[in-house]
Amino acid sequence: MPNTSNNSEKPQPTFGAPSGPGLPRPGGMGGAGRGPYQGGVVHAKDVKGTLARLWYYLRANKRMLIIVILLVAVSTGLQLIGPYLQGVAIDQFISVGNSDGLARLVLIMFAAYVGAAIATWGNTYLVTVLAQQTVFQIRGELFAHLQQLSLRYFDSSAHGDLMSRVTNDVQLISDTLGTSVTQLVQAVLQVVGTAIMMFIIEPLLAVVALLVVPMMLGVTVYIARHTKTRFRDQQSTMGVMNGLIEETLSGEQVVKAFSKEEEVIADFEVRNVAYREAAIKAQTFSLLMMPLMTVITNLGLALVAGTGGYMVVMGLSTVGTIVAFVTYARQLSEPLRQVANLWNQVQSAIAGAERVFEVMDEDPDLKDSADAREMGQVEGEVIFDNVCFAYKKGVPILKNVSLHAEPGQTVALVGPTGAGKTTIINLLTRFYDIDSGSITIDGVELCDLKKADLRRKLGIVLQDTFLFSDTVMANIRYGRLDATDEEVYAAAQLANADAFIRHLPEGYNTVLSERGGNLSQGQRQLLAIARAMLANPSILILDEATSSVDTRTEANIQEALLKLMKGRTSFVIAHRLSTIRDADQVLVINDGRIIEKGNHQQLLAAQGFYYNLYMSQFKGRKEAFTV
């Protein structure tokens, strides 16, 4: 969706992350809209709700999830057999010198471990597929939802932060789901299975071994509680830094033109330091987990070994039993350590998921009504009736604007920068909804029309041309995707773009760099005009469409535009007043109001605001003004 906004008329975004709860509505796209981004830290708000929403996406692949759990159970069960068989080997075969029995038992142990390895490989593969399918769905819904949001949301959002949510935060979810699902299930089964085996073999030692479990759980809960906000801080500061990077790279020409490299570097250093400090706090605190868990694990092993050794000396147990028990004690602590370590990754993923769901919960403020209809054949009568509008509440941009464009008329909008000219266009294209009044096309309110159909009937050529990193052919065809190659050629010829296109290295198949950087501004403008011509719109909008071309090219384009505008209602934003002398209506806008209207000659004869504006471009001194 093109942005036709005039920066002088609209609030500018600040870096940061949006605030507001991500409501746990599985699969829902609704939610209360939030205001502009504000800099600073936003803490995790609803861990349970976020996990519930992730579970909604996971359960869409319920069968695969069940198979994964079964394979994890098989793998865990086969691994639990190993320590028991070790004890049996020591007590029943090694101690009595039964080599045949030992050989058979070794084969059984080998088969168990091979089976566990195969089951582990199977669940690893399936959980990878499961994670990618889940993230595929989340990423698709997120991107689709972004396309439903209005320009008002993007005006108040740092684009770099949005990029961070679509890429970095979604990747965090992917990485965590790809490892945590299997490990969490395996950890639970292994702890339960190990505890059962320990109580079966030697209940007293089982109680001793389990004494350390509450300590492990306590450490895990304490560190997890303090790391979740730190990981959220890390993700937020990354979004802020990405916002600066995206903005700086996009405006690199301006940075160099004003020799602001040092200031930009200093600004980046501030954000880079903020991210470094947030990352150090998050990572350092989370890294306490493993050393503490290792100490507790070794303490548990020491208790088991000491108690078991005493029992063997006293004849209360056997060496094989103690060996098996020590192995089980290790198996008991390992999944707890795994979960503790995994929990840090889960916290980071939850922070990322919350940021993703915050965007998905943004309520599109421009929606088609339930009975919205298509426009059908457009005559082109446009009426603004006492329209009022503000980008920011309390700061009105348009104040009771009324205008009437007859079908086929050319209406020129003139006035100083920030007067509201581009805002009128933004409302006509319904990039924003009005605050009061009404806008109709052929007697039908804009809000009663389907947005997509409305915009298909409009042709827009902006002063700031946007081209995609694709071929010249594809960029022109963006005006009408079903157009044939011959129709594209015809549109380019009408826009006087065909000649320079055929001199490009690959002609119409030349791939443009980002934003068409390998073309001149005038060439980019010609492609935008060709794109609008191909669209064959019912209503044409020109935002100073010829301002970036030389005089000779402008004359050719003006001729082509006159052909395009013939029979169509056209709105022309003009800064060079010589281009709108033949307009049917000239609307002079100042401070959000239409202060004069009429044709060129009428307004000159009135010797008002338009007269002074026109003469200032051609005479230079007010005392020399003559009609």
Side-chain angles (χ1 to χ4, degrees):
M1 182 185 300
N3 189 335
T4 67
S5 58
N6 184 328
N7 290 338
S8 64
E9 299 171 7
K10 296 178 359 185
Q12 299 301 300
T14 55
F15 292 110
S19 61
L23 303 177
R25 291 189 307 280
M29 292 291 189
R34 282 177 281 280
Y37 284 6
Q38 301 296 327
V41 170
V42 184
H43 300 292
K45 297 173 286 296
D46 189 4
V47 174
K48 291 182 180 178
T50 302
L51 290 175
R53 293 182 72 166
L54 287 174
W55 168 246
Y56 166 81
Y57 289 99
L58 280 171
R59 73 181 185 185
N61 300 286
K62 190 183 302 182
R63 292 182 180 178
M64 189 180 299
L65 192 59
I66 292 173
I67 295 173
V68 167
I69 293 174
L70 290 176
L71 287 175
V72 171
V74 170
S75 173
T76 304
L78 292 175
Q79 291 176 10
L80 288 174
I81 293 175
Y84 173 77
L85 294 179
Q86 290 176 14
V88 172
I90 293 172
D91 290 341
Q92 296 185 20
F93 300 112
I94 296 176
S95 60
V96 298
N98 186 346
S99 59
D100 293 338
L102 180 61
R104 289 193 297 271
L105 194 62
V106 168
L107 287 175
I108 294 174
M109 291 175 64
F110 178 76
Y113 285 127
V114 169
I118 294 173
T120 299
W121 177 85
N123 71 55
T124 300
Y125 170 76
L126 289 179
V127 83
T128 299
V129 174
L130 177 64
Q132 291 304 316
Q133 288 185 349
T134 301
V135 173
F136 171 81
Q137 184 179 357
I138 292 175
R139 186 186 294 113
E141 289 188 13
L142 174 60
F143 188 79
H145 187 65
L146 281 170
Q147 305 312 305
Q148 302 303 314
L149 297 177
S150 70
L151 289 183
R152 189 187 295 273
Y153 176 77
F154 293 100
D155 290 338
S156 58
S157 304
H159 293 181
D161 186 68
L162 289 179
M163 284 292 297
S164 182
R165 293 171 191 248
V166 177
T167 55
N168 296 339
D169 292 330
V170 172
Q171 187 60 42
L172 271 176
I173 299 172
S174 174
D175 293 342
T176 302
L177 289 179
T179 57
S180 62
V181 173
T182 299
Q183 292 184 21
L184 285 173
V185 174
Q186 187 173 23
V188 172
L189 293 177
Q190 191 167 336
V191 168
V192 174
T194 300
I196 291 173
M197 292 297 295
M198 292 168 75
F199 275 103
I200 291 174
I201 295 173
E202 184 57 69
L204 178 59
L205 278 179
V207 172
V208 172
L210 292 175
L211 288 176
V212 299
V213 172
M215 297 173 63
M216 290 182 170
L217 293 176
V219 168
T220 301
V221 171
Y222 175 79
I223 292 182
R225 182 183 299 122
H226 288 80
T227 55
K228 67 181 181 181
T229 54
R230 287 173 169 83
F231 277 116
R232 178 63 189 239
D233 296 350
Q234 178 181 332
Q235 291 305 109
S236 295
T237 53
M238 177 185 288
V240 172
M241 186 172 65
N242 286 344
L244 175 62
I245 294 172
E246 190 271 341
E247 183 180 59
T248 303
L249 293 180
S250 298
E252 197 64 46
Q253 186 176 8
V254 177
V255 172
K256 294 187 183 303
F258 289 91
S259 299
K260 296 297 182 182
E261 291 89 347
E262 294 299 325
E263 287 83 350
V264 167
I265 292 172
D267 203 9
F268 177 78
E269 183 67 16
V270 172
R271 287 160 172 78
N272 199 16
V273 168
Y275 175 70
R276 181 191 66 189
E277 296 302 320
I280 288 175
K281 289 179 181 179
Q283 301 298 333
T284 301
F285 201 83
S286 68
L287 289 175
L288 290 174
M289 185 80 78
M290 292 311 294
L292 290 175
M293 296 297 284
T294 300
V295 170
I296 297 173
T297 297
N298 291 335
L299 174 61
L301 290 175
L303 288 173
V304 171
T307 305
Y310 176 79
M311 293 177 68
V312 171
V313 171
M314 299 301 296
L316 300 175
S317 188
T318 64
V319 173
T321 299
I322 302 306
V323 170
F325 228 92
V326 170
T327 305
Y328 277 127
R330 286 187 177 278
Q331 285 192 355
L332 181 66
S333 62
E334 187 57 33
L336 293 175
R337 291 175 59 188
Q338 239 179 25
V339 170
N341 187 49
L342 186 64
W343 191 247
N344 293 326
Q345 185 177 352
V346 170
Q347 288 295 328
S348 183
I350 290 174
E354 279 192 338
R355 284 163 48 82
V356 168
F357 291 142
E358 279 177 349
V359 177
M360 294 172 68
D361 284 338
E362 284 290 340
D363 189 22
D365 58 339
L366 289 176
K367 297 179 180 178
D368 286 335
S369 60
D371 56 349
R373 59 189 179 87
E374 295 187 352
M375 297 182 67
Q377 183 65 35
V378 177
E379 296 296 327
E381 181 186 39
V382 177
I383 297 176
F384 279 55
D385 184 16
N386 287 315
V387 171
C388 295
F389 175 77
Y391 293 106
K392 184 179 180 181
K393 189 174 182 180
V395 185
I397 300 297
L398 296 185
K399 307 162 187 175
N400 301 108
V401 170
S402 296
L403 65 89
H404 184 186
E406 297 285 354
Q409 277 192 340
T410 296
V411 178
L413 306 176
V414 302
T417 299
K421 303 184 298 296
T422 299
T423 299
I424 290 176
I425 299 304
N426 284 340
L427 297 180
L428 178 59
T429 52
R430 208 185 167 206
F431 290 158
Y432 302 85
D433 270 340
I434 60 178
D435 297 330
S436 63
S438 71
I439 302 176
T440 63
I441 295 179
D442 295 344
V444 182
E445 291 271 4
L446 290 193
C447 58
D448 293 330
L449 298 170
K450 292 183 177 180
K451 296 193 304 293
D453 186 61
L454 166 67
R455 291 166 187 164
R456 276 194 293 267
K457 299 296 195 299
L458 301 175
I460 305 175
V461 180
L462 307 176
Q463 182 177 3
D464 184 17
T465 301
F466 187 93
L467 298 175
F468 297 92
S469 299
D470 206 334
T471 64
V472 172
M473 176 75 76
N475 270 280
I476 298 176
R477 186 175 276 131
Y478 204 77
R480 183 160 54 87
L481 296 180
D482 60 352
T484 64
D485 289 355
E486 288 69 25
E487 288 174 321
V488 172
Y489 300 146
Q493 289 169 356
L494 189 61
N496 292 325
D498 181 74
F500 90 80
I501 293 175
R502 296 191 182 277
H503 282 89
L504 294 175
E506 302 294 331
Y508 282 84
N509 293 320
T510 300
V511 177
L512 302 181
S513 60
E514 185 177 3
R515 296 178 180 268
N518 51 343
L519 298 178
S520 70
Q521 179 65 29
Q523 289 172 331
R524 293 197 294 270
Q525 198 78 356
L526 290 172
L527 292 187
I529 293 171
R531 184 162 60 193
M533 289 178 171
L534 184 66
N536 193 25
S538 301
I539 297 175
L540 187 63
I541 297 170
L542 306 174
D543 186 351
E544 197 58 72
T546 62
S547 64
S548 300
V549 296
D550 58 69
T551 305
R552 180 178 178 182
T553 305
E554 179 183 0
N556 292 333
I557 293 176
Q558 286 288 359
E559 181 182 352
L561 287 177
L562 287 174
K563 295 177 183 177
L564 179 63
M565 294 162 64
K566 187 175 182 180
R568 294 181 174 87
T569 304
S570 301
F571 288 83
V572 181
I573 295 179
H575 298 288
R576 286 190 285 186
L577 303 185
S578 60
T579 63
I580 49 105
R581 291 175 179 174
D582 296 324
D584 298 296
Q585 286 190 65
V586 178
L587 305 179
V588 183
I589 303 165
N590 190 33
D591 192 28
R593 302 179 188 275
I594 297 178
I595 59 174
E596 295 178 3
K597 62 175 64 176
N599 61 36
H600 174 72
Q601 293 300 328
Q602 289 170 341
L603 292 176
L604 284 182
Q607 296 194 13
F609 192 94
Y610 180 83
Y611 173 85
N612 292 334
L613 194 63
Y614 181 82
M615 289 301 181
S616 68
Q617 293 188 10
F618 295 97
K619 300 296 183 181
R621 299 183 63 86
K622 188 172 182 180
E623 58 267 28
F625 289 177
T626 56
V627 180

